[in-house]
Amino acid sequence: MVEIKVQKTASRGIAIASAYIYREVDLTPDQYSVAEDEIEQEEARFQEVKRAVLTELEQLAQENPIFAAHMGIADDYTLQEGIVTRIQSGKKNVQQAILEAVEEVADIFEQMEDEYMRERKADVLDIGKRFLIKCKKISIQDLGAIRQPVIVVAKDLFPSDTVKMDPKYIKGIITEEGGVTSHVSIMAKNYGIPVLTGVSGILDQVEDGLTICMDAKCGTIVVEPEQAVLEAYERLSEEEAIEQENIKKYRALEPVTPQGKRISLCINVGNTEEMKLALDKNVDGVGLFRTEFLYMENSHFPTEEEQFAVYKEAATLCPKEVTIRTLDIGGDKSLPYYEFEPEENPFLGWRAIRISLDMPEMFETQLRAILRASVFGHIRIMFPMLISVEELLEAKQIVAKCKNKLRQEGIPFDEGIEIGMMMETPASVLLAEEFAKEADFFSIGTNDLTQYILAVDRGNKKIASRYDSFHPAVWKAIETIIQAGHKYKCKVGMCGELAGDVAAIPKLLELGLDEFSMSAGTVDYARRAIIGKVI
Ligand code: PEP
Ligand code: MG
């Protein structure tokens, strides 16, 4: 039995399940040469790999038709020929041949006129990855395909790894890297999955299939527990289930403070599935709809129609407020179909509104989709990562341009749609009054605000203890934002993780915060903290 203590936690929940190790894969082709008399054998190696990939895809296709299309690509003549010719004439080893041929075919797709065909590039690259994984005899790990209860243990997880997870089977997540406000932590919390990040050395202590008990609130992990410890965790898990039942009693109550102020209590979501899971939580709406996941789950930039369908569904599901944040990509969030230039400091780099303003066509596509969906409910638009009033004005002008076009096309939208912004950069704090004159609402993003005010990377485990949203400088910033907002009748909410921290809620209420938006898993506890009494 091994017991591990974790310093910082940002989640709750007890999990008991077998370990599932999620390994990083290095797909760089092995460097070996192929002699004349080995060519045939090398080609046979490829045919074997191809057969294995096709069998695997056939099975996956039974659950998801996307994989049927992938079978066609894996069997595509041009790709086959490219690989075989490289082995036969170029005497390349099979891994190198696959890499080169796949890149060549992917480039051909990228040059095509037809948008649909262009989008197939990502599929070709995915097939190449499957071939290489088979060649290198690495077993493919798809968290979306897990069908038994497990605790995922990984060095780090990226949002693209986790978007497909099914919370029915993923009982917990433990990572060596990543901080408590990494997007993986946030997504896991939205699904109610206990998560512990920054657990150095966990991969040395755990093997696939070993039993793990984890308490995400106290920050304890026990590997291969003794019987008595296992039973203690089972009891804790039962107690937790009872507490979760008890806390539900508060759901019927309005979030009104002891002083009589009605607070708006909302949830943060990354997709409409998360909204459906939270429909019974009696919230005032969605204070943050992170649209980047819609982009990340795709194999192409989502079209206006694709986005419209999602935003319309969101507005219909929740006729109260739905605050749609425009694309906040970059930082730790990348796209499988778009190559970002490597950056020394991605969190200080080409991110969020900077990308939207630099790619106006893509931005307009998103804004049109949001505007069109706005007639189906109460949608608000929110921009991320602003550092200057000029950026806000430019973004608002693009909204106005989209509105004009829609008017000309006779397409309805909510003329009075509110436009607000995330307050998550030091510049936005210092210019809060100027921003308040132009924005309809503020939402304080304490996850980024903390990292930028303190100059502490939110995902770096080495400095995780320095990442502190309770730091007085962060609270000074929060106070400044609330005061500036109220001075100009701009409502102030918070959608960073601090909003759902019951230790922070009394102070935030005292400062006058109007709206609290958080992971659905913490809403019941926040409601109890706002009401301020036990029932
Ligand atoms: C934040 O920065 O606090 C926030 C809510 O946005 P994200 O976590 O998506 O960066
Ligand atoms: Mg942010």
Side-chain angles (χ1 to χ4, degrees), residues 381-421:
I381 299 175
M382 178 158 76
F383 301 125
M385 278 282 293
L386 297 179
I387 56 164
S388 73
V389 178
E390 288 71 29
E391 281 175 343
L392 175 59
L393 295 179
E394 190 182 341
K396 279 174 72 171
Q397 230 164 37
I398 299 176
V399 176
K401 182 177 156 197
C402 292
K403 281 181 166 182
N404 265 337
K405 278 200 195 149
L406 288 172
R407 260 184 227 112
Q408 283 162 13
E409 293 164 27
I411 300 174
F413 60 89
D414 174 9
E415 288 280 354
I417 194 164
E418 288 168 90
I419 301 178
M421 60 182 281

Side-chain angles (χ1 to χ4, degrees), residues 6-17:
V6 182
Q7 265 185 4
K8 272 205 148 186
T9 68
S11 171
R12 56 172 64 241
I14 310 286
I16 307 166

Side-chain angles (χ1 to χ4, degrees), residues 183 186 288 290 325 422 424 445-448 458 495-496:
H183 287 101
I186 293 170
L288 169 63
R290 288 185 167 93
R325 179 174 73 184
M422 301 278 302
E424 53 185 347
T446 48
N447 308 338
D448 276 320
R458 66 196 259 187
C495 61

Side-chain angles (χ1 to χ4, degrees), residues 255-258 263 265 505 509 516 525-532:
V256 177
T257 66
I263 298 297
L265 184 59
I505 288 174
L509 289 171
F516 291 67
Y525 301 91
R527 190 189 300 272
R528 181 167 67 185
I530 291 167
I531 292 168

Side-chain angles (χ1 to χ4, degrees), residues 159-195:
S160 54
D161 297 319
T162 48
V163 280
K164 294 176 253 152
M165 285 184 326
D166 185 338
K168 249 200 323 236
Y169 303 108
I170 310 292
K171 296 294 172 197
I173 296 176
I174 306 172
T175 63
E176 289 201 331
E177 307 203 334
V180 293
T181 57
S182 68
H183 287 101
V184 170
S185 302
I186 293 170
M187 286 173 65
K189 264 206 280 177
N190 284 351
Y191 284 123
I193 301 173
V195 55

